[in-house]
């Protein structure tokens, strides 16, 4: 049974349709990459999957997982640029997803946060200030927070946007490891076709579904050639 | 020196002013960190003006000022929060419109009934003399409740301040905690307005947080420093007002300004030395 299934999903902001009639399904352990032009509805789909925004029509069916068991890495925002917070505070806050009544972090939460930092290879940053980190370090910290919140599925919205090629390659390698070694289901939005090559499945969006299927077949499809050869360059 | 401090505290009103002032400064400073970081600082300003409007109308009608102001300001807090969450420039403008309208309504109803008398004046600019025993009891009760709630919700407050969307995505009741923040600010502003003045109290929300952020870089240290700065600023300001015979609210704000400038300098020096 697929862990997430979208059936004829349509999502809108008021009367503006952001994505139309989208259907796809992914299995536990899949690595799905969502590609598509700016404004094609990728972030909107992510919001739907997280339960932040309700579908206008159609359904999103979760099997054996709840919205809050999905870890999330938001599309980068400048809102936290000057925020005074230590790395530890940020990562620990991920643990709140499973704490319902207790007000303070337990020893277990702290162990979990340390483990998440370890997995992201940034244990040495624990005491550092979030606002003093580089873009790549910040993304890793936010990934560690997502790992505290969820250990089975991650949703990543353009994790490597604004990173230099080296930092983004490292980040994609970490994401690949989470999928292969930790058996996490990964859903990632990316403009980077090299990164998409590491995924098992591709969903190409164009206010709906232009392609959904395996990565190998994608590279032989027309939609892919359109994206790479049609003069559409989307660099953030 | 020590002797004159002892003399100062021998006046009942000064002792009361210190107790209430330190407690409300602590509360406002804690809440202020989140309000400033969430870019809600205008809410504090709006609330104090609405508070003044409510108090003035209540006095004109012969009702108990605080009994009217507390619920009115809580409702206003709720509205201002919704408006600010709108995120557009209209939200920002709407807050300004509400706050100046409330101030105007207050001034109008005061001048139509009794004129701008010393009571109205003391609500606008604050007064240490105005505090009655029951005011003190109310302020202490409110402040202690606010402090307790803040400590209990501290980790969640951090989460919603740092990243609302992530909080929402992982099942945190973001709206609930935002409302809590606004409500706590509302009651503290009303309570503190009496001494600090409606026109000046919102600076107690903003200044300590800004000062603390200049120097410290973790959320916890900013929160703690902000609380300390606020309490110290209050004590310096109120003592100065006693010795120099200046208005309480204005003296405290000036003390906070001096602290802010000092912290900015220290922060800049630390940064260049890094
Ligand atoms: N908050 C919003 N209110 C109204 N319309 C919106 C909102 N967010 C997005 N849209 C619209 O919905 C459509 C899809 O937007 P979405 O953010 O999902 O695109 P995207 O594929 O993530 O783009 P990008 O690659 O730039 O991140 C766009 O036409 C956009 O203008
Ligand atoms: Mg997007």
């Amino acid at each position: 049974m697929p862990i997430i299934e979208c059936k004829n999903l349509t999502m809108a902001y008021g009367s503006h349709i952001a994505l139309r009639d989208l259907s796809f399904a992914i299995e536990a352990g899949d690595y799905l990459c969502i590609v598509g032009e700016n404004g094609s509805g990728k972030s909107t789909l992510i919001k739907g999957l997280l339960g932040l925004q309700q579908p206008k029509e159609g359904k999103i069916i979760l099997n054996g997982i709840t919205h809050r068991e999905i870890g999330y890495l938001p599309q980068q925002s400048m809102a936290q640029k000057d925020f005074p917070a230590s790395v530890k505070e940020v990562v620990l806050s991920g643990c709140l997803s499973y704490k319902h009544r207790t007000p303070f972090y337990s020893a277990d939460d702290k162990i979990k946060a340390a483990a998440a930092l370890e997995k992201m290879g940034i244990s040495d940053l624990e005491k550092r200030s979030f606002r003093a980190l580089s873009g790549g370090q910040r993304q890793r910290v936010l990934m560690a927070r997502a790992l505290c919140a969820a250990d089975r599925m991650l949703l990543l919205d353009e994790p490597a946007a604004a990173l230099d090629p080296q930092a983004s390659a490292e980040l994609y390698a970490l994401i690949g490891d989470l999928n292969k070694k930790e058996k996490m289901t990964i859903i990632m939005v990316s403009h980077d076709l090299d990164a998409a090559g590491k995924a098992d499945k591709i969903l190409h969006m164009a206010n709906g579904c232009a392609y959904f299927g395996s990565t190998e077949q994608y590279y032989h499809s027309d939609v892919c050639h359109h994206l790479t050869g049609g003069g559409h360059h989307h660099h953030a | 020196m020590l002797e004159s401090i002892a003399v100062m505290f021998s006046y009942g009103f000064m002792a009361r002013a210190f107790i209430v002032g330190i407690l409300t400064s602590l509360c406002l400073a804690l809440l202020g960190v989140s309000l400033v970081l969430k870019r809600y600082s205008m809410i504090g300003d709006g609330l104090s003006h609405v508070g003044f409007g409510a108090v003035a109308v209540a006095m004109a009608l012969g009702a108990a000022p605080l009994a009217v102001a507390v619920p009115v300001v809580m409702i206003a807090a709720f509205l201002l929060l919704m408006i600010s969450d709108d995120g557009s420039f209209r939200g920002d403008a709407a807050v300004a419109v509400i706050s100046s309208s409330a101030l105007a309504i207050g001034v109008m109803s005061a001048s139509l009934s009794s004129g701008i008398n010393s009571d109205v004046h003391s609500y606008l600019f604050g007064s240490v003399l105005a505090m009655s025993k029951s005011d003190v009891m109310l302020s202490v009760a409110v402040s202690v409740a606010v402090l307790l709630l803040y400590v209990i919700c501290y980790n969640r407050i951090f989460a919603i301040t740092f990243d609302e969307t992530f909080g929402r995505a992982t099942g945190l009741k973001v709206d609930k905690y935002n409302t809590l923040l606004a409500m706590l600010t509302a009651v503290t502003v009303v309570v503190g307005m009496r001494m600090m003045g409606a026109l000046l109290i919102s600076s107690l929300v903003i200044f300590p947080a800004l000062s603390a952020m200049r120097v410290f870089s973790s959320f916890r240290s900013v929160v703690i420093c902000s609380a300390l700065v606020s309490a110290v600023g209050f004590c310096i300001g109120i003592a100065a007002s006693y010795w120099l015979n200046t208005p309480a609210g204005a003296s405290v704000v000036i003390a906070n300004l001096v602290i802010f400038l000092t912290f900015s300098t220290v922060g800049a020096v630390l940064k260049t030395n890094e």
Side-chain angles (χ1 to χ4, degrees):
Chain A
M1 196 155 52
I3 193 161
I4 290 189
E5 197 172 357
C6 288
K7 279 191 179 157
N8 305 103
L9 179 70
T10 296
M11 299 194 53
Y13 297 92
S15 59
H16 177 78
I17 307 276
L19 68 96
R20 192 188 300 275
D21 200 24
L22 180 67
S23 298
F24 70 93
I26 58 165
E27 307 288 332
D30 274 355
Y31 185 170
L32 172 72
C33 184
I34 304 176
V35 297
E37 294 182 20
N38 292 118
S40 57
K42 304 182 297 293
S43 297
T44 310
L45 173 62
I46 297 281
K47 282 184 211 161
L49 294 175
L50 289 168
L52 295 176
Q53 192 178 329
Q54 292 308 309
K56 185 177 163 76
E57 274 163 41
K59 273 192 263 206
I60 299 172
I61 304 161
L62 303 185
N63 290 314
I65 195 163
T66 58
H67 286 301
R68 59 193 301 165
E69 286 176 279
I70 304 177
Y72 175 45
L73 186 72
Q75 189 161 4
Q76 263 191 342
S77 78
M78 283 290 102
Q80 298 133 347
K81 194 162 57 85
D82 299 318
F83 199 102
S86 69
V87 166
K88 191 177 181 183
E89 288 175 320
V90 173
V91 174
L92 267 173
S93 74
C95 296
L96 293 171
S97 78
Y98 57 84
K99 299 177 81 70
H100 300 288
R101 305 236 174 277
T102 42
F104 304 114
Y105 298 122
S106 65
D108 283 348
D109 299 331
K110 286 172 186 160
I111 291 169
K112 193 161 186 171
L117 284 169
E118 174 98 50
K119 272 184 212 163
M120 290 294 110
I122 47 169
S123 300
D124 53 323
L125 297 183
E126 182 177 336
K127 299 229 154 48
R128 290 277 296 280
S129 167
F130 185 74
R131 64 182 170 189
L133 300 181
S134 73
Q137 291 172 324
R138 269 184 214 198
Q139 289 301 80
R140 291 192 195 197
V141 171
L142 296 182
M143 289 258 289
R145 176 182 66 168
L147 289 179
C148 282
D151 35 29
R152 294 166 54 203
M153 185 184 292
L154 278 188
L155 246 62
L156 314 156
D157 198 347
E158 298 193 32
L163 298 191
D164 61 52
Q166 158 121 31
S168 48
E170 286 171 11
L171 194 67
Y172 287 130
L174 282 171
I175 295 168
D177 280 354
L178 289 176
N179 176 249
K180 300 277 158 344
K181 294 195 189 134
E182 314 276 331
K183 306 278 175 262
M184 290 184 79
T185 311
I186 307 274
I187 302 179
M188 174 175 78
V189 174
S190 175
H191 284 300
D192 188 341
L193 282 179
D194 292 339
K198 300 212 181 66
D200 319 319
K201 289 182 183 166
I202 302 257
L203 171 64
H204 184 125
M205 294 183 63
N207 296 107
C209 180
Y211 175 89
F212 175 67
S214 78
T215 309
E216 284 146 47
Q217 280 169 19
Y218 176 71
Y219 285 109
H220 300 295
S221 71
D222 291 344
V223 258
C224 175
H225 294 142
H226 178 70
L227 187 73
T228 49
H232 297 278
H233 293 290
H234 306 286
H235 288 291
Chain B
M1 178 72 188
L2 280 179
E3 208 166 300
S4 65
I5 289 178
V7 171
M8 177 168 81
F9 281 110
S10 69
Y11 291 104
F13 72 89
M14 282 309 281
R16 288 202 286 274
F18 268 95
I19 294 171
V20 173
I22 288 174
L23 282 172
T24 46
S25 316
L26 283 178
C27 295
L28 287 175
L30 295 180
L31 298 166
V33 173
S34 287
L35 294 178
V36 167
L37 284 168
K38 288 171 85 71
R39 292 164 177 74
Y40 283 167
S41 17
M42 280 305 288
I43 289 186
D45 207 46
L47 290 181
S48 57
H49 291 181
V50 170
F52 170 74
V55 163
V57 170
M59 287 197 296
L61 300 174
L66 286 188
V68 175
V70 170
V72 169
V73 174
M74 285 175 83
I75 294 168
F78 194 70
L79 286 176
L80 289 173
L81 191 68
M82 291 205 312
I83 294 171
S84 306
D85 268 344
D86 185 17
S88 61
F89 68 94
R90 275 175 290 130
D92 204 32
V95 173
V97 165
I98 291 178
S99 87
S100 48
S101 306
L103 193 59
I105 290 171
V107 172
M108 276 301 253
S109 56
S111 58
L112 285 179
S113 58
S114 54
I116 307 282
N117 58 21
S118 62
D119 259 358
V120 177
H121 189 274
S122 85
Y123 269 108
L124 271 178
F125 295 104
S127 158
V128 274
L129 296 170
M131 303 276 295
S132 68
K133 274 236 169 63
S134 64
D135 283 346
V136 176
M137 305 266 270
L138 180 71
S139 312
V140 172
V142 165
S143 312
V144 170
V146 170
L147 288 174
L148 277 178
L149 271 169
Y150 186 88
V151 170
I152 290 172
C153 301
Y154 169 80
N155 287 319
R156 268 123 185 134
I157 290 175
F158 168 79
I160 60 151
T161 310
F162 182 72
D163 191 345
E164 274 195 10
T165 317
F166 181 84
R168 255 200 202 101
T170 49
L172 201 62
K173 301 271 181 296
V174 171
D175 296 325
K176 191 177 103 182
Y177 287 101
N178 274 337
T179 311
L180 176 75
L181 218 50
M183 292 300 143
L184 295 183
T185 312
V187 290
T188 326
V189 161
V190 173
V191 164
M193 210 170 76
R194 185 88 239 210
M195 180 157 55
M196 291 296 302
L199 295 181
L200 298 171
I201 189 141
S202 62
S203 68
L204 285 192
V205 175
I206 301 168
F207 261 132
L210 286 183
S211 303
M213 273 178 238
R214 292 281 145 170
V215 176
F216 291 95
S217 60
S218 81
F219 190 75
R220 184 197 296 251
S221 56
V222 166
V223 163
I224 292 171
C225 171
S226 171
L228 290 178
V229 157
S230 186
V232 169
F234 174 82
C235 293
I236 296 175
I238 211 80
S241 106
Y242 169 82
W243 277 304
L244 307 173
N245 207 8
T246 48
S251 316
V252 172
V253 175
I254 303 271
N256 271 295
L257 174 64
V258 171
I259 293 178
F260 172 72
L261 294 175
T262 315
F263 273 57
S264 299
T265 316
V266 172
V269 169
L270 286 179
K271 214 174 224 158
T272 50
N273 283 358
E274 246 167 35

